Amino acid sequence: MSASDLGMRIERPEQLLRDRVVDVVREAILRGSLAPGRRLTERELGELTGVSRTSLREALRHLQAEGLVESSASRGLRVAVLTPEVVGHLYDVRAALEPAAVELFVRSATAEQVAALTATRQLEAPEPEEELQATREFYRILLEGTANPILQQIAGSIDARIHALRRVSLRAPGRQLKSRREIDDILAAIKSGDAGQAVELARLHVLAAKEAALVAVRSLERTEAS
């Protein structure tokens, strides 16, 4: 697969090169171009990105810290493989953070932030990838509107892994439409100023997403084992 196919070529980096590599490889993982279990070699990534092995090593260490890349005894570094245990842990953390973020957003968000949050839900008949990106933007604005940098930092540290799980969980039959309705209901409660209702809907949404993600991951495990 060529660099142009994956869209990973780095041209004239304007920020620290390592950070540019982190951003490019992270996005390739999140959009599924680099699938779970995919071996990551410095040689191939160097060809795809056009940067030195030193920058690649630094970037891969950063992505390991984020949990998007992991070591494999037989294959070196690879894109992290989702397991039911990891899914459970991540969604348990999300179940604590998301309702808190929703409550703080209702209390602290500006009218402009509420309008921006609403705008992310106004796509008509979106393609799956468009909806995934809109949902990611929804949560970015939600966290921004909490006016709580500590919560933003903690939630941001798992955002990429949650987004990768969201891509998996939406494969469950009927989950995409159900998820869309759940988020729209959360937004309606936020707009009405009903923090209690918004918090409860957020909690239920995370529990439903966790169940769908576990089903999808277990199905992938069975497929790979057969």
Side-chain angles (χ1 to χ4, degrees):
M1 189 173 291
S2 69
S4 59
D5 291 335
L6 290 179
M8 292 173 60
R9 194 74 178 178
I10 294 175
E11 304 290 348
R12 299 180 182 177
E14 297 177 358
Q15 65 190 96
L16 185 64
L17 187 57
R18 187 213 66 176
D19 293 341
R20 284 286 296 133
V21 178
V22 168
D23 290 345
V24 166
V25 178
R26 183 196 291 119
E27 286 303 314
I29 292 171
L30 295 187
R31 67 174 179 261
S33 298
L34 297 176
R38 167 79 176 266
R39 187 183 180 197
L40 299 174
T41 66
E42 292 176 4
R43 178 178 179 179
E44 181 187 24
L45 289 176
E47 292 173 353
L48 290 171
T49 62
V51 301
S52 71
R53 291 194 174 189
T54 298
S55 295
L56 285 171
R57 289 190 194 107
E58 293 176 356
L60 289 171
R61 280 196 292 269
H62 186 96
L63 291 166
Q64 277 186 279
E66 288 188 7
L68 290 174
V69 170
E70 64 186 9
S71 295
S72 169
S74 61
R75 305 187 67 192
L77 289 179
R78 67 181 184 182
V79 178
V81 175
L82 301 172
T83 66
E85 182 179 23
V86 170
V87 170
H89 291 330
L90 283 169
Y91 274 95
D92 286 346
V93 173
R94 183 184 171 193
L97 295 179
E98 191 165 316
V102 166
E103 182 174 16
L104 286 171
F105 187 92
V106 173
R107 284 168 31 192
S108 305
T110 65
E112 290 77 14
Q113 287 169 327
V114 174
L117 197 69
T118 301
T120 67
R121 308 305 302 164
Q122 294 179 337
L123 292 175
E124 293 187 11
E127 294 295 322
E129 191 61 33
E130 287 181 304
E131 184 151 13
L132 276 169
Q133 294 308 317
T135 299
R136 191 178 184 191
E137 181 69 1
F138 176 91
Y139 283 108
R140 185 194 67 77
I141 295 168
L142 180 72
L143 286 173
E144 184 180 272
T146 66
N148 186 313
I150 302 301
L151 178 59
Q152 292 167 13
Q153 180 183 18
I154 296 170
S157 69
I158 66 168
D159 173 69
R161 299 179 79 184
I162 287 295
H163 186 70
L165 284 167
R166 189 175 291 126
R167 182 184 297 278
V168 171
S169 68
L170 291 179
R171 296 175 187 171
R175 179 59 197 157
Q176 185 169 340
L177 179 58
K178 190 171 185 293
S179 176
R180 185 185 307 158
R181 289 172 176 168
E182 290 166 0
I183 295 174
D184 287 345
D185 288 344
I186 293 169
L187 176 60
I190 288 173
K191 292 172 71 174
S192 71
D194 190 340
Q197 177 72 353
V199 165
E200 178 61 12
L201 289 171
R203 186 185 70 83
L204 293 174
H205 171 63
V206 175
L207 292 177
K210 177 182 178 180
E211 181 179 351
L214 286 170
V215 168
V217 168
R218 286 170 181 151
S219 176
L220 285 173
E221 283 189 332
R222 288 193 296 270
T223 299
E224 292 171 357
S226 62

